[in-house]
Amino acid sequence: MSNNRSYAGSCFCGAVQFTVSGEPVGMGYCHCESCRSWSAGPVNAFTLWKPEAVNITKGRDNIGTYHKNESSYRKWCKICGGHIMTDHPGMGLTDVYAAMLPDLPFAAGVHVNYQETVLPMKDGVTKLKAFPKELGGSGIAIPE
Ligand SMILES: [Zn+2]
Ligand SMILES: [Zn+2]
């Protein structure tokens, strides 16, 4: 497997385009209330990358950013309103939403914030109450 593989993505209208390079640090589903409220969807399928692996190749000026707290800087296209990614400065990672990377083979490794779920998923993948230990959470798993 090559580490030089890159995957392209764009917002809903195409004004913002970007690539990610290499392999994601992690992939999974976030069931938190914040993701739900912001995305207007029941869960957020995430892919986490080191910020240097993420390159905005077009339309940087069209990216809007909102942060309700310091842990998540949520980004979207100012023209179409399409969601793009979330920076997590505390974790040193960027979540490029899985749906934004159609060519990346998505394979969930974990569910986070499962205690807040409104869409239970019986897929046999670990369900963490909140966040993994490596990311400052409790690491406590809960049953499906
Ligand atoms: Zn757009
Ligand atoms: Zn979330």
Side-chain angles (χ1 to χ4, degrees), residues 67-74 86-91 93:
H67 68 286
K68 194 176 194 177
N69 55 53
E70 289 306 313
S71 57
S72 299
Y73 283 66
R74 298 171 188 271
T86 297
D87 285 339
H88 297 294
M91 298 179 190
L93 295 170

Side-chain angles (χ1 to χ4, degrees), residues 30-36 44 72 74 88 112-113 131:
C30 183
H31 295 255
C32 86
E33 199 280 329
S34 292
C35 282
R36 187 154 55 243
N44 173 41
S72 299
R74 298 171 188 271
H88 297 294
V112 298
N113 296 310
F131 285 108

Side-chain angles (χ1 to χ4, degrees), residues 11-15 77 80:
C11 67
F12 188 54
C13 75
C77 169
C80 68

Side-chain angles (χ1 to χ4, degrees), residues 24-88:
V25 176
M27 298 191 273
Y29 296 101
C30 183
H31 295 255
C32 86
E33 199 280 329
S34 292
C35 282
R36 187 154 55 243
S37 175
W38 191 67
S39 71
V43 294
N44 173 41
F46 63 81
T47 72
L48 294 169
W49 305 80
K50 289 284 180 193
E52 55 269 27
V54 181
N55 255 304
I56 308 298
T57 52
K58 190 184 159 199
R60 184 180 294 276
D61 293 347
N62 295 322
I63 299 177
T65 303
Y66 176 77
H67 68 286
K68 194 176 194 177
N69 55 53
E70 289 306 313
S71 57
S72 299
Y73 283 66
R74 298 171 188 271
K75 303 188 176 199
W76 71 93
C77 169
K78 290 193 257 182
I79 296 173
C80 68
H83 294 181
I84 306 166
M85 60 185 77
T86 297
D87 285 339
H88 297 294

